[in-house]
Amino acid sequence: MSRAPTPAVGMAQERIHRHNVGTLLRHVHLGGAMSRAVLAERMGLNRSTIMALTAQLVAAGLVREEPPGGGLATADPRREEARGRAGRPSLVVRVRPNWAYVLAFDVAVDRLVAARVGLGGAVLDRREAVRPRAGADLDHVVDVLARFGRQLYEAAPADSVCVGIGASYCGMIRPGDGMVRFGPDMGWVDQAFGAELSERLGLGIPVPVGNEAHLGALAEQQRGAGVGLQNLLYLHGDVGVGGGIIVGGKLLDGDGGYGCELGHMVVNPYNGRPCGCGSHGCLEAEVGERALLDAAGRPAHLWGRDALRSVVDDADRGDESAREALRRIGDWLGIGVANLINLFNPGMVIFGGMLRDIYPGAAPQVRHRIATNVLPVARERVRLRTCALGDDSTLVGAAELAFADLMADPLATLARTRPH
Ligand SMILES: [Zn+2]
């Protein structure tokens, strides 16, 4: 005779069950369609448990099951399972891509982006505006993004459901409430960006905000160049240089959430260029946009991604001063990266943002610094890559931030959502 579990045991089992439902959803959300057999192996659970977890997600409308060749499974799941035991390949579980979605926002240094991203990660719809470098106050940024967000929400299919919202911002963000503590390029100090955007969207959904380089690092690990790696570095260049460091599968966020400011690592304290932070010789002062443009002899009124790409293009065409500028930037970048490899022993270093454009021309100097300055055992396996998600690394990161609640507890999160 079995006894009823004590309340504490029941609660613990309930927590484990919720965790397993979320973990299964996360596997197919990030990894694409996979068979019950593969899910059982990856999650270390037996097939009947996987079948029960999947049934809950099917009933909730988040996933569907199909025979391996495609097409919807119509047979009774118990009969399918019985046939599975008789040697047929097990059913494939995949997300329903157009029903549950998130709104993702990206405040980048030169553009404002909003997107509707479906479960599974596909960008279903997007809006984009050029962001002026100076004079963009909170009101203007939130106005543009909220208008885009409302348009995306209203254009979504009538029976679809918004399960979360997330935003990426190029500055230092207080975890939990989306407060921008410091946004150097726009001069923002303590601006309640997440709360304002949530209010102005009027969907009754909070807007968590993440630092762009932190989110870019996570996105590249989850969906980009670093899939499968537990230790990686991501350097995101715009006007300055931001960073994301993933150690043991987790982002290093620091005591207050402001960690990984790789751009303000001092690499040239004696003769260094002045940095926006008030210091001298920070990595971003030596390798940021202005450093490259000055090194290439470009006048002060030229700036931005186009100016930067023109230096790279000139270097490709053989222009010696442009090549020399990339070499100089590459040397400083290499010094920074060599220090970071010695500290963190990453499996990969990923260059994103404008560093994606600069890295190919700067790679020989970076590799030379690594060969010269990194301890031999730490450089044995490290790989250097440009970001695989292109300019969308940070947007994809914002979308994953928005999906976090759904992945943590799919059924409870769905229960909180409002129909369109
Ligand atoms: Zn600095």
Side-chain angles (χ1 to χ4, degrees), residues 263-266 274-285:
H264 300 286
M265 180 169 61
V266 178
C275 182
C277 72
S279 180
H280 280 78
C282 296
L283 181 66
E284 76 170 41

Side-chain angles (χ1 to χ4, degrees), residues 10-212:
M11 277 165 64
Q13 282 172 343
E14 175 56 29
R15 220 172 23 245
I16 292 166
H17 180 75
R18 278 205 305 268
H19 172 78
N20 285 341
V21 174
T23 304
L24 194 154
L25 182 62
R26 188 178 167 78
H27 274 290
V28 292
H29 168 65
L30 291 177
M34 56 186 79
S35 71
R36 286 186 195 157
V38 169
L39 285 163
E41 193 187 312
R42 292 199 181 170
M43 292 176 65
L45 298 170
N46 63 44
R47 283 223 215 174
S48 61
T49 305
I50 295 293
M51 189 170 74
L53 296 171
T54 306
Q56 282 195 294
L57 290 170
V58 170
L62 291 167
V63 306
R64 60 190 185 202
E65 294 185 283
E66 299 171 356
L72 283 175
T74 51
D76 176 342
R78 277 165 302 186
R79 280 177 53 206
E80 281 290 332
E81 193 66 12
R83 277 191 281 169
R85 277 197 293 274
R88 272 183 47 132
S90 73
L91 288 177
V92 165
V93 182
R94 71 169 74 232
V95 297
R96 265 181 78 199
N98 296 323
W99 182 63
Y101 71 87
V102 297
L103 294 177
F105 297 96
D106 187 7
V107 181
V109 75
D110 54 1
R111 60 194 190 131
L112 301 171
V113 189
R116 186 164 64 86
V117 180
L119 184 61
V123 175
L124 303 170
D125 197 358
R126 70 189 288 157
R127 302 282 186 282
E128 193 164 329
V130 171
R131 207 208 87 187
R133 268 291 164 89
D137 62 5
L138 180 75
D139 221 39
H140 169 77
V141 169
V142 170
D143 250 11
V144 172
L145 293 181
R147 179 161 44 85
F148 284 169
R150 291 299 311 187
Q151 288 170 0
L152 293 166
Y153 181 80
E154 274 148 28
D159 69 336
S160 58
V161 54
C162 180
V163 296
I165 305 177
S168 165
Y169 183 88
C170 48
M172 299 172 87
I173 316 298
R174 184 162 68 200
D177 66 359
M179 172 75 82
V180 174
R181 298 299 312 281
F182 184 47
D185 66 301
M186 288 196 271
W188 287 16
V189 175
D190 289 340
Q191 301 275 318
F193 171 55
E196 276 293 319
L197 183 55
S198 173
E199 169 87 25
R200 220 82 69 90
L201 282 164
L203 300 174
I205 303 174
V207 182
V209 183
N211 167 275
E212 64 175 353

Side-chain angles (χ1 to χ4, degrees), residues 64-414:
R64 60 190 185 202
E65 294 185 283
E66 299 171 356
L72 283 175
T74 51
D76 176 342
R78 277 165 302 186
R79 280 177 53 206
E80 281 290 332
E81 193 66 12
R83 277 191 281 169
R85 277 197 293 274
R88 272 183 47 132
S90 73
L91 288 177
V92 165
V93 182
R94 71 169 74 232
V95 297
R96 265 181 78 199
N98 296 323
W99 182 63
Y101 71 87
V102 297
L103 294 177
F105 297 96
D106 187 7
V107 181
V109 75
D110 54 1
R111 60 194 190 131
L112 301 171
V113 189
R116 186 164 64 86
V117 180
L119 184 61
V123 175
L124 303 170
D125 197 358
R126 70 189 288 157
R127 302 282 186 282
E128 193 164 329
V130 171
R131 207 208 87 187
R133 268 291 164 89
D137 62 5
L138 180 75
D139 221 39
H140 169 77
V141 169
V142 170
D143 250 11
V144 172
L145 293 181
R147 179 161 44 85
F148 284 169
R150 291 299 311 187
Q151 288 170 0
L152 293 166
Y153 181 80
E154 274 148 28
D159 69 336
S160 58
V161 54
C162 180
V163 296
I165 305 177
S168 165
Y169 183 88
C170 48
M172 299 172 87
I173 316 298
R174 184 162 68 200
D177 66 359
M179 172 75 82
V180 174
R181 298 299 312 281
F182 184 47
D185 66 301
M186 288 196 271
W188 287 16
V189 175
D190 289 340
Q191 301 275 318
F193 171 55
E196 276 293 319
L197 183 55
S198 173
E199 169 87 25
R200 220 82 69 90
L201 282 164
L203 300 174
I205 303 174
V207 182
V209 183
N211 167 275
E212 64 175 353
H214 292 188
L215 294 178
L218 290 166
E220 286 293 325
Q221 189 215 15
Q222 290 164 338
R223 298 190 175 276
V227 168
L229 293 176
Q230 297 298 299
N231 299 281
L232 64 81
L233 293 175
Y234 173 79
L235 280 86
H236 187 90
D238 45 50
V239 175
V241 176
I245 303 171
I246 293 178
V247 173
K250 286 204 161 71
L251 181 81
L252 278 185
D253 51 1
D255 191 47
Y258 312 121
C260 306
E261 285 291 338
L262 312 183
H264 300 286
M265 180 169 61
V266 178
V267 292
N268 187 14
Y270 299 111
N271 305 305
R273 293 166 56 91
C275 182
C277 72
S279 180
H280 280 78
C282 296
L283 181 66
E284 76 170 41
E286 303 297 346
V287 310
E289 178 185 294
R290 197 67 248 163
L292 177 71
L293 293 172
D294 286 351
R298 304 294 154 113
H301 68 269
L302 288 180
W303 46 265
R305 197 76 177 263
D306 289 344
L308 198 136
R309 282 183 172 149
S310 86
V311 176
V312 174
D313 289 345
D314 286 354
D316 285 344
R317 283 192 285 266
D319 179 290
E320 196 40 50
S321 72
R323 286 189 167 181
E324 178 52 32
L326 282 175
R327 282 197 288 268
R328 188 191 305 184
I329 297 309
D331 193 42
W332 289 118
L333 185 60
I335 289 171
V337 167
N339 280 321
L340 293 165
I341 294 173
N342 278 331
L343 277 170
F344 296 104
N345 184 207
M348 184 177 283
V349 180
I350 301 170
F351 300 95
M354 66 98 174
L355 288 175
R356 183 164 63 104
D357 296 320
I358 289 175
Y359 177 70
Q365 279 64 41
V366 175
R367 288 203 207 93
H368 175 74
R369 279 292 174 186
I370 291 172
T372 311
N373 298 119
V374 173
L375 298 164
V377 291
R379 65 171 187 254
E380 274 170 358
R381 286 170 23 154
V382 67
R383 287 174 284 166
L384 307 172
R385 293 283 185 279
T386 51
C387 60
L389 300 169
D391 284 338
D392 278 350
S393 295
T394 50
L395 182 73
V396 170
E400 293 308 322
L401 181 64
F403 275 119
D405 280 354
L406 188 74
M407 298 302 141
D409 193 342
L411 305 180
T413 302
L414 271 187

